[in-house]
Amino acid sequence: VVQTKFLLKEAKTLQVLVYNSLGQKVYESNAEFIPKGIFYHQFSTDHLSKRGYTLFLQSIGSEIISSQKFIIQ
């Protein structure tokens, strides 16, 4: 399980996306309206292989709000 925490300065409709080190999308959350403040998101990594990944917090207009790298070992 990966847990993320982001601070949003303004309310937005967002999605969480995860890409593997080959650039393939392996996870996409449903878009949801998030009020400003601290945003937490959690997802299972049981289906992911051992390698590096990048998680993106993205607005519906494709603006990248934040990103985090993580490794499954």
Side-chain angles (χ1 to χ4, degrees):
V1 174
V2 169
Q3 296 179 352
T4 61
K5 177 181 169 182
F6 297 97
L7 176 61
L8 298 175
K9 294 181 181 179
E10 59 185 64
K12 291 187 181 266
T13 300
L14 301 173
Q15 279 185 296
V16 175
L17 305 167
V18 176
Y19 289 84
N20 65 21
S21 57
L22 301 173
Q24 300 166 320
K25 187 182 345 178
V26 296
Y27 175 81
E28 180 175 356
S29 72
N30 292 325
E32 60 181 296
F33 180 79
I34 308 296
K36 72 177 183 176
I38 297 174
F39 167 67
Y40 296 93
H41 188 79
Q42 174 177 306
F43 69 96
S44 172
T45 58
D46 291 343
H47 66 289
L48 301 177
S49 57
K50 296 179 180 182
R51 65 173 58 177
Y53 296 88
T54 304
L55 179 145
F56 294 97
L57 182 62
Q58 179 177 315
S59 71
I60 292 305
S62 298
E63 174 192 3
I64 302 295
I65 305 300
S66 186
S67 65
Q68 294 179 345
K69 293 187 178 199
F70 62 96
I71 296 175
I72 307 260
Q73 297 181 343

